[in-house]
């Protein structure tokens, strides 16, 4: 299975750090979030990782290079100044992701989430890993019932940013900037998303305060 790490975002909420450092290279206990993900993916048997590049993307490419030092083959999907958001970024990278289901990981999370299954059943377009709604969020993203993602009126869970998708999920998309969330909501309503709940380590490193808290633990 090929993996993609979404690392193009500017990280507005992490300013001023992200004025000079891409969000994916923010460090927790002396190691960047991105390098932690790469190590975890290599440990899980992943061989090829696609990283999309946007804000300060040249810093990421300079740090990670070919991926050889991490036991990986790393390839890049540059977006330049036209950062494409989650959906657009994945769609642009599809030629690099192959014809089988692929893994996507948000760069700005700190977690021990296990890899979702590489095989999707039936007509499922994806498998999302959910986590309990964190205190800083007013509302969750999805419900979960019997291993199926629900577009609930009162969602108890937050999307972790770790998922497996079929390439066909993005087949009808246009090459432009667009978010992934509306597509996931629609697929959940159609009953085409599997899911699982992770109740272990997971933090959205979205603010200087949360980053400082992680580094203080």
């Amino acid at each position: 299975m090929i993996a993609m790490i979404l690392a193009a975002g500017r990280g507005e909420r992490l300013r001023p750090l992200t004025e000079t450092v891409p969000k994916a290279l923010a460090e927790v206990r002396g190691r960047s979030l991105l390098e932690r993900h790469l190590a975890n993916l290599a440990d899980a048997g992943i061989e090829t990782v696609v990283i999309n590049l946007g804000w300060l993307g040249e810093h990421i490419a300079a740090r990670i290079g070919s991926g050889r030092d991490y036991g990986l083959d790393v390839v890049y999907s540059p977006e330049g100044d036209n950062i494409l958001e989650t959906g657009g970024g994945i769609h642009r990278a599809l030629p690099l992701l192959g014809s089988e289901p692929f893994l996507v990981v948000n760069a700005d999370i700190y977690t021990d989430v296990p890899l979702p299954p590489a095989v999707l059943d039936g007509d499922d377009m994806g498998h999302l890993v959910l986590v309990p709604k964190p205190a800083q969020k007013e509302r969750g993203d999805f419900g979960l019932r019997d291993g199926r993602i629900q577009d609930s009126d009162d969602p108890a869970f937050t999307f972790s940013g770790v998922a497996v998708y079929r390439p066909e999920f993005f087949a009808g998309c246009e090459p432009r900037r667009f978010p992934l969330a509306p597509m996931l909501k629609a697929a959940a309503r159609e009953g085409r998303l599997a899911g699982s709940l992770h109740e272990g380590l997971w933090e959205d490193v979205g603010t200087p305060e949360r980053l400082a808290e992680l580094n203080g633990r």
Side-chain angles (χ1 to χ4, degrees):
M1 182 166 58
I2 297 175
M4 180 175 186
I5 299 178
L6 298 177
R10 181 161 184 166
E12 295 285 355
R13 294 178 300 157
L14 263 176
R15 295 171 67 185
L17 172 66
T18 49
E19 292 291 347
T20 56
V21 176
K23 179 171 57 173
L25 294 184
E27 292 190 354
V28 174
R29 302 177 191 175
R31 195 177 194 188
S32 74
L33 295 169
L34 179 57
E35 289 168 297
R36 288 177 181 274
H37 290 310
L38 292 175
N40 290 338
L41 291 172
D43 288 345
I46 297 291
E47 296 180 354
T48 302
V49 177
V50 177
I51 302 175
N52 66 336
L53 301 179
W55 174 251
L56 299 177
E58 66 277 10
H59 293 223
I60 290 174
R63 174 81 69 89
I64 304 303
S66 68
R68 183 187 309 173
D69 290 346
Y70 305 90
L72 296 163
D73 177 22
V74 172
V75 294
Y76 298 100
S77 178
E79 299 176 15
D81 294 331
N82 182 32
I83 298 173
L84 297 172
E85 294 194 50
T86 48
I90 296 170
H91 181 262
R92 180 184 178 90
L94 284 178
L96 304 172
L97 293 169
S99 59
E100 299 298 321
F102 55 86
L103 174 72
V104 175
V105 178
N106 288 359
D108 59 349
I109 57 173
Y110 180 76
T111 186
D112 60 0
V113 170
L115 268 59
V119 177
L120 298 173
D121 294 334
D123 293 329
D124 285 351
M125 285 290 109
H127 181 113
L128 310 188
V129 180
L130 306 183
V131 294
K133 183 183 72 65
Q136 69 266 16
K137 288 196 67 171
E138 292 185 6
R139 179 179 171 83
D141 299 318
F142 296 103
L144 182 66
R145 179 180 298 171
D146 298 328
R148 310 300 301 173
I149 299 292
Q150 308 285 315
D151 184 23
S152 170
D153 291 333
D154 186 23
F157 305 112
T158 292
F159 176 36
S160 70
V162 178
V164 168
Y165 303 109
R166 291 189 196 274
E168 294 85 351
F169 187 37
F170 301 88
C173 299
E174 298 292 330
R176 58 179 177 82
R177 175 187 175 95
F178 64 92
L180 182 59
M183 293 177 60
L184 296 178
K185 292 285 188 181
R189 289 192 295 272
E190 294 168 3
R192 303 189 73 183
L193 288 179
S196 53
L197 179 64
H198 176 68
E199 297 186 272
L201 176 65
W202 183 87
E203 294 286 350
D204 170 14
V205 187
T207 66
E209 292 77 17
R210 288 207 288 277
L211 181 60
E213 181 182 353
L214 281 170
N215 277 312
R217 288 181 182 173

